[in-house]
Amino acid sequence: MKIRKIQPKDNQKIEEIVKSAIIEFGLPTTGSAYEDSDTNAMYEAFLDDNAIYFVIEDDNEVIGGGGVKPLQGQDNDICELQKMYLIPSARGKGYGKKIFDICLSAAKELGYKQCYLESDPGMTIAIKIYENNGFKHLTGPIGNTGHTACGIWMIKDL
């Protein structure tokens, strides 16, 4: 297993992983990452100096990823954990926790003071990981993510 920064060649695979997971979990395709323009061009979406996206490889195959970038519509001290998804065979092996930890470490290195995330109530395992790692529930969204389908909003001081 190897974790590295996203490359242009990863765009199609990451898009497939994100969209497949959304369908698999029965999450809405409207108002979610499924229809984000970023999803089909993840490398380009994370080119900003204040953003980074990581992919996980196993036997030279991309099996998932996750990243952080500035939270749209907020001050520059808050980043958003974005598009953290794994293929089904990669789940339950600790890969999600590893990418999660690397993303939070990168957020600190980039100078963010807080990390925000949005999720769907059906993502119970992910939500438990977030809670166990200090994320606190909010009563509503902050910023302008465009993810109107999300019903879970969380934030953590870094």
Side-chain angles (χ1 to χ4, degrees), residues 111-127:
Y112 292 110
K113 304 291 184 230
Q114 293 182 301
C115 185
Y116 172 77
L117 64 84
E118 296 179 335
S119 191
D120 185 275
M123 303 295 284
T124 54
I125 293 172
I127 293 165

Side-chain angles (χ1 to χ4, degrees), residues 13-77:
K13 184 64 177 179
I14 290 295
E15 178 183 9
E16 289 172 12
I17 292 169
V18 170
K19 289 183 173 181
S20 294
I22 288 169
I23 297 297
E24 175 191 351
F25 285 99
L27 306 177
T29 56
T30 301
S32 71
Y34 192 93
E35 65 179 11
D36 275 0
S37 60
D38 287 359
T39 301
N40 64 356
M42 294 291 284
Y43 172 79
E44 292 79 6
F46 284 81
L47 278 176
D48 184 27
D49 288 341
N50 294 323
I52 192 162
Y53 193 88
F54 298 99
V55 296
I56 305 170
E57 281 185 338
D58 193 23
D59 291 329
N60 295 316
E61 178 187 349
V62 174
I63 60 170
V68 293
K69 66 190 304 190
L71 177 60
Q72 291 181 3
Q74 288 293 310
D75 63 34
N76 295 333
D77 289 345

